[in-house]
Amino acid sequence: MNIGQAAQASGVSAKMIRYYESIGLIPKTVRTEAGYRVYSDHDVHTLRFIRRSRDLGFSVEQIADLVSLWQDRERASKDVKAIALEHVTVLERKIRELQEMASTLTHLATNCHGDARPHCPILEELASDEAGQGDFKPDAKFGLLGKVSAR
Amino acid sequence: MNIGQAAQASGVSAKMIRYYESIGLIPKTVRTEAGYRVYSDHDVHTLRFIRRSRDLGFSVEQIADLVSLWQDRERASKDVKAIALEHVTVLERKIRELQEMASTLTHLATNCHGDARPHCPILEELASDEAGQGDFKPDAKFGLLGKVSAR
DNA sequence: CTTGACCTTCCCATCATTGGAAGGACTAAA
DNA sequence: TTTAGTCCTTCCAATGATGGGAAGGTCAAG
């Protein structure tokens, strides 16, 4: 099976398959004489596992751990559970941060007439000198907005 | 006031102030003879407005619009409200996506013994051939995970 | 033998932010 | 006045996961 077919069968784009190979998430495949990558059903199964993990928001690093646990028949289920729960913690923090933003904005928008006049509580809040959200400090890098999931 | 002081006073890092200037979010400042950027209290006020907007998860592009509305005494509050509500919509979608991930994972983790034995429903789910989450497809680029807010 | 669909590698862009290097400017103390 | 230390400058790179696209090789069908 070529990379395109493996992509279709797994739901992981050919681009990403090559990327995952380049970073070592999946092993280098066999190649045809012409240099084409060749995939087995087993490889597709692994790719699907990876896609599922991405859909649940796991990072590539976590996925690497999950894949290796998956392939380890001696694994302890607590190791898997720990990764999952750790991720849940992160997800919940992000959810709370987003909810705080949304509720603040919803509140401000509710108090904004939304007409042709210039008076606007939203701008007033953004421009106010007070602390506003107080100590609200999302985790720096890749904290709240932006990429939440793949695909 | 130098850039470092403006950074402290506004809560926007010196790095980001230079960046915002480079992309045109804020105008180029006056410079001293030696090339140092000089900031006024008014500039700091604008920077604080920007930081607040970032804290609420607005993109730089949206912030540019907000700043220009802020500085426009003829603005219509409905234009501001539209930006805010549009953003709320996006936030709420992300929240739903994250909640879906979290609840799926929590459910799976609940059914996982989390002991030294290898049996693990989490891995089983990730490895299963069924659709699993069905048509769950977060918006591609910067969909759900990752950067949710600045700072 | 040509056409079109596929594959290869390589580089670039995204988004906001941080880090660091190399070098100049300024300030306070010796 | 020299020196140390802190600030400033610009420029380049990395982050994380992904897509876009160019330039060129391969393959199957007509």
Side-chain angles (χ1 to χ4, degrees):
Chain A
M1 182 172 6
N2 284 341
I3 199 170
Q5 297 164 296
Q8 271 231 300
S10 65
V12 178
S13 71
K15 279 271 186 194
M16 289 313 295
I17 296 176
R18 293 192 196 97
Y19 172 69
Y20 289 151
E21 180 187 308
S22 80
I23 62 172
L25 178 58
I26 54 178
K28 295 191 177 178
T29 61
V30 176
R31 303 274 189 135
T32 65
E33 286 182 14
Y36 284 25
R37 291 172 178 82
V38 176
Y39 296 88
S40 66
D41 286 349
H42 177 260
D43 294 329
V44 169
H45 197 215
T46 302
L47 286 169
R48 223 175 289 168
F49 180 98
I50 290 170
R51 181 181 57 73
R52 292 276 193 113
S53 303
R54 285 290 312 139
D55 286 347
L56 287 174
F58 286 105
S59 67
V60 165
E61 196 180 351
Q62 288 172 315
I63 295 173
D65 293 341
L66 289 171
V67 168
S68 103
L69 285 167
W70 180 43
Q71 288 165 350
D72 175 9
R73 289 179 193 176
E74 313 277 311
R75 71 187 164 244
S77 65
K78 71 160 183 268
D79 292 340
V80 183
K81 190 168 181 172
I83 294 174
L85 290 181
E86 157 73 24
H87 183 43
V88 167
T89 299
V90 172
L91 289 172
E92 286 176 344
R93 184 175 43 68
K94 289 182 181 173
I95 290 168
R96 279 195 306 277
E97 291 176 335
L98 293 175
Q99 280 173 336
E100 198 165 335
M101 292 178 186
S103 80
T104 299
L105 276 169
T106 300
H107 176 69
L108 290 173
T110 300
N111 291 325
C112 173
H113 289 302
D115 54 23
R117 289 172 295 173
H119 174 70
C120 177
I122 302 170
L123 293 180
E124 276 173 19
E125 163 68 20
L126 290 173
S128 81
D129 279 338
E130 291 118 55
Q133 298 185 60
D135 294 329
F136 179 66
K137 285 190 190 176
D139 60 333
K141 194 162 200 172
F142 289 86
L144 282 173
L145 286 180
K147 180 164 298 173
V148 171
S149 117
R151 292 177 70 202
Chain B
M1 184 172 0
N2 284 341
I3 198 171
Q5 297 165 296
Q8 270 230 301
S10 66
V12 179
S13 72
K15 280 274 188 192
M16 288 312 295
I17 296 175
R18 293 192 196 97
Y19 171 69
Y20 289 151
E21 180 187 307
S22 82
I23 62 172
L25 178 58
I26 55 178
K28 295 191 178 175
T29 62
V30 176
R31 303 276 189 132
T32 65
E33 286 181 12
Y36 283 24
R37 289 173 180 82
V38 176
Y39 297 88
S40 65
D41 286 349
H42 177 260
D43 294 329
V44 169
H45 197 215
T46 302
L47 286 169
R48 222 174 291 168
F49 180 99
I50 290 171
R51 181 181 58 73
R52 293 275 193 113
S53 304
R54 285 290 312 140
D55 285 347
L56 287 173
F58 286 105
S59 68
V60 165
E61 195 180 353
Q62 287 172 315
I63 295 174
D65 293 341
L66 289 172
V67 168
S68 103
L69 285 167
W70 181 43
Q71 289 164 348
D72 175 8
R73 290 181 191 175
E74 312 277 311
R75 71 188 164 243
S77 65
K78 71 161 184 268
D79 292 339
V80 182
K81 190 168 180 170
I83 293 174
L85 290 181
E86 157 72 26
H87 183 44
V88 168
T89 299
V90 171
L91 288 173
E92 285 174 344
R93 185 176 43 68
K94 290 181 181 173
I95 289 167
R96 280 195 306 275
E97 291 176 337
L98 292 176
Q99 280 173 337
E100 199 164 334
M101 293 177 185
S103 82
T104 299
L105 276 169
T106 300
H107 175 69
L108 290 172
T110 300
N111 293 326
C112 173
H113 289 300
D115 55 23
R117 289 171 295 172
H119 173 70
C120 177
I122 302 171
L123 292 179
E124 275 172 20
E125 163 67 21
L126 289 173
S128 82
D129 280 340
E130 291 119 52
Q133 298 186 60
D135 295 330
F136 180 66
K137 285 189 190 177
D139 59 336
K141 195 163 196 169
F142 290 86
L144 283 175
L145 286 181
K147 182 165 297 173
V148 169
S149 111
R151 293 178 68 201

